[in-house]
Amino acid sequence: MAELAGVSVKTVSNVVNGTVPVAEATRERVQRAVDELGYQPNVTARRLRTGRSGVIALAFPELPSPYFAELAVEVIAAARRVGITVLMDDTGGDPAAELRIASGLGDPMIDGVILSPLGLDRAALLSRSREIPLVLLGEADLGPVADRVHIDNVAGAREVTRHLLDEGYRRIAAIGWQDPAPRATAEQRLAGYREALADAGLPLDPELLPPVRAYFRPDGASAMRRLLRLPERPDAVFCFNDLLALGALRAAHEAGLRVPRDLAIVGFDDVEEAAYAIPSLTTVAPDKRLIAELAVRCLEERIERRYTGPGRRITPGFRVVVRESSTLAR
């Protein structure tokens, strides 16, 4: 491979193992040689030599969700850039499945885990059968037992609600509250929505908070239909994720309403579909690539024992992407 790529054996090793940064042009030459020769690393030999396999596990609660699917692609790409292979699983939010993943699947070949938990609690996490390097993604705060990479949901919800207020909307509903057992996502995004209303001197109207069971398109459509049956319907709706917003858009269309002329709708997550909806959807955009890079970096530091301290809290930024669904010359 070194001869074909025109580089040293050490450079090939650095590229294949991801141990030392290599110039992009050089890395591409080596990768072409790897592909042409069909090289496959011997994971067992690597583990014997370095004590690591170069394999990590990645698990989300709902892989069919576009947000998780897009974030998974970014994590895999970030891991590949440093020579790490990713094994992926869908936990369905089951606490037992999440604990099994957090313990490394009982497989000594797994160097570490990136997990987005939904049902796992702190007590269960502390009972892990194997203390494997772990990075958590998302809203659930399980204490300093692991690093956690997450966006500021309260600030995101507050900013997108302020956008609606700045556009002149005043009767603003929210779709995404879960009753009687709200998840952390619902609690945090509701808090941001409430803060924005309070800052504008507006009361929280409980009838503008139709609860949902889950965060998919049918749930958003059903909640929107309930809002449209109110004696005084809202003039804008903040949905706690983009799938809820896309369902709400459909329900508004079926009711003969024009968005945003009759009703504004905004979402959260900036999934790819948001930009191609009709009208295109205003939404809160987390930096998925940065989230992935930070998660992989934190895990790599734990695996290599470059950091052994208490769990870190890392909060990448976001931006509100304003599109057609919320802007209108008023």
Side-chain angles (χ1 to χ4, degrees), residues 13-30:
S13 176
N14 290 338
V15 171
V16 171
N17 295 312
T19 51
V20 177
V22 175
E24 184 62 21
T26 303
R27 190 195 66 78
E28 290 177 358
R29 286 208 314 277
V30 173

Side-chain angles (χ1 to χ4, degrees), residues 189-208:
R189 294 182 186 177
L190 178 67
Y193 161 80
R194 294 181 68 159
E195 286 182 13
L197 293 183
D199 290 346
L202 297 174
L204 180 72
D205 186 343
E207 73 174 5
L208 296 180

Side-chain angles (χ1 to χ4, degrees), residues 255-329:
L257 297 177
R258 297 163 298 174
V259 176
R261 184 176 300 276
D262 301 316
L263 174 78
I265 298 176
V266 300
F268 202 116
D269 287 342
D270 195 29
V271 301
E272 184 180 40
E273 190 177 351
Y276 295 93
I278 301 177
S280 57
L281 183 65
T282 292
T283 184
V284 177
D287 189 335
K288 301 184 190 77
R289 179 166 185 163
L290 181 57
I291 291 171
E293 289 176 345
L294 290 170
V296 170
R297 185 184 308 162
C298 286
L299 188 61
E300 194 178 20
E301 289 173 352
R302 292 284 187 181
I303 291 169
E304 297 179 355
R305 300 189 64 79
R306 285 186 277 128
Y307 179 79
T308 58
R312 296 166 288 187
R313 297 292 173 267
I314 301 171
T315 309
F318 64 86
R319 61 193 179 98
V320 175
V321 179
V322 178
R323 298 194 178 105
E324 298 164 341
S325 68
S326 66
T327 56
L328 181 69

Side-chain angles (χ1 to χ4, degrees), residues 237-249:
V237 182
F238 163 44
C239 297
F240 288 7
N241 80 348
D242 287 348
L243 294 189
L244 291 172
L246 292 167
L249 275 173

Side-chain angles (χ1 to χ4, degrees), residues 43-98:
V43 174
T44 301
R46 176 189 289 174
R47 179 136 187 124
L48 288 172
R49 186 178 71 256
T50 67
R52 301 190 301 274
S53 66
V55 177
I56 65 171
L58 169 67
F60 290 106
E62 296 169 344
L63 271 177
S65 165
Y67 176 77
F68 289 128
E70 292 173 14
L71 184 53
V73 168
E74 294 292 353
V75 171
I76 291 169
R80 184 180 295 121
R81 286 192 287 270
V82 292
I84 293 175
T85 299
V86 177
L87 300 180
M88 196 159 60
D89 200 0
D90 184 328
T91 66
D94 176 60
E98 292 177 348

